[in-house]
Amino acid sequence: MNRRMKKFIVPSILSADFTKLGEEVKAVQSAGADWIHVDVMDGHFVPNITIGVPVVKSLQSISPPPIDIHLMINNPEGFVETFIDSGGSYVKSLTVQVESCNLIYNTIKLIQSKGVMAGVAINPGTPLSSVTELLPYMDMVTIMTVEPGFAEQKFIPSMISKIKQMRDIIDSSEFSPLIEVDGGIKLENIGEAAEAGADVFVSGSGIFKSGDYKGSIDKMRAILENAAHAATG
Ligand code: DX5
Ligand code: ZN
């Protein structure tokens, strides 16, 4: 059973309208977003290129919600400090992919030395055993529920049992990293992901393409509260 009760709703700005990014971030902030998620892609680790350091830097001037940076890039260890510095005190967490990070233990320690939560993401085909040795160190594990690279993909249903297995591994340990889910999270599946044991819910198109940011976040929050009650009750 998930010992944590607090759940975090985290819009991914990849699905925002980039012609007015500042307004979009402020809009999800006032609609109740807990953090915002920034997807960084390099065209090598994933077949897409998105945004980088200058965009994160520009967000500082609008006092954004806490920023959750997701690096889908090769050799992320060389960019950790630059990204954290670009977001300043707004950077809440920085997540690297276990598949592309050499010296992952050192990278986690480097992220934490900057006062930021260290996340480790695993792709759908990567086994949980690739992160279990990191349980004592990481602050968050991100279960990718789509192949990384693009927004608006469909949630892979078999990832529910992966989330449950991660929950069981964490709950039977003495450590308590957050479980984040990322990819295809929408109103229709956020409850199931929560019941499986996730704590942090990244949603790009599920919020930004909904046409009603507050409406969708409120509905997600209500579903998460019900899932929490079902777990305790
Ligand atoms: C996928 C990214 C996700 C994505 C989420 O590569 O890491 O964060 O933007 O977008 P949706 O919710 O539309 O799948
Ligand atoms: Zn992401």
Side-chain angles (χ1 to χ4, degrees):
M1 208 261 294
N2 189 352
R3 289 175 294 208
R4 285 181 191 271
M5 284 295 121
K6 170 80 182 148
K7 308 280 184 192
F8 301 87
I9 297 175
V10 185
S12 163
I13 64 168
L14 191 54
S15 292
D17 179 346
F18 283 117
T19 65
K20 47 175 186 174
L21 182 59
E23 286 170 42
E24 291 274 76
V25 169
K26 292 313 270 186
V28 289
Q29 184 172 32
S30 54
D34 293 299
W35 310 340
I36 54 165
H37 184 84
V38 175
D39 285 308
V40 177
M41 305 186 190
D42 66 350
H44 295 279
F45 179 69
V46 289
N48 195 8
I49 297 176
T50 55
I51 53 183
V53 166
V55 173
V56 177
K57 192 162 190 194
S58 73
L59 290 173
Q60 280 204 51
S61 65
I62 60 160
S63 308
I67 302 174
D68 175 37
I69 299 177
H70 181 191
L71 297 186
M72 285 159 281
I73 65 177
N74 281 342
N75 306 120
E77 50 279 359
F79 290 93
V80 161
E81 289 188 272
T82 314
F83 270 99
I84 292 175
D85 293 344
S86 72
S89 61
Y90 294 102
V91 180
K92 174 82 184 174
S93 57
L94 186 139
T95 296
V96 296
Q97 293 278 156
V98 72
E99 300 86 357
S100 70
C101 188
N102 298 317
L103 309 177
I104 187 102
Y105 170 84
N106 286 356
T107 304
I108 288 171
K109 292 290 167 193
L110 174 61
I111 296 167
Q112 291 167 339
S113 75
K114 306 280 287 182
V116 166
M117 284 170 51
V120 179
I122 59 170
N123 284 345
T126 303
L128 290 175
S129 56
S130 66
V131 290
T132 46
E133 298 301 331
L134 303 172
L135 265 183
Y137 313 110
M138 61 190 177
D139 300 299
M140 184 160 79
V141 55
T142 300
I143 309 286
M144 292 306 298
T145 42
V146 297
E147 289 286 11
F150 298 91
E152 295 187 59
Q153 301 184 79
K154 261 184 81 66
F155 181 91
I156 301 171
S158 61
M159 292 300 110
I160 289 291
S161 72
K162 194 176 188 184
I163 300 164
K164 282 187 187 147
Q165 286 174 51
M166 190 74 238
R167 179 85 268 151
D168 288 346
I169 292 168
I170 290 173
D171 287 352
S172 54
S173 78
E174 58 187 292
F175 308 105
S176 49
L178 293 169
I179 298 180
E180 179 177 72
V181 285
D182 184 12
I185 298 292
K186 301 228 155 52
L187 278 174
E188 65 256 29
N189 55 28
I190 195 168
E192 209 187 347
E195 276 160 20
D199 307 290
V200 182
F201 304 83
V202 175
S203 179
S205 48
I207 292 171
F208 280 109
K209 304 289 182 196
S210 69
D212 177 6
Y213 304 165
K214 178 149 175 25
S216 347
I217 292 175
D218 284 349
K219 282 184 201 140
M220 286 179 174
R221 186 90 59 203
I223 293 170
L224 294 178
E225 275 164 19
N226 281 337
H229 289 142
T232 50

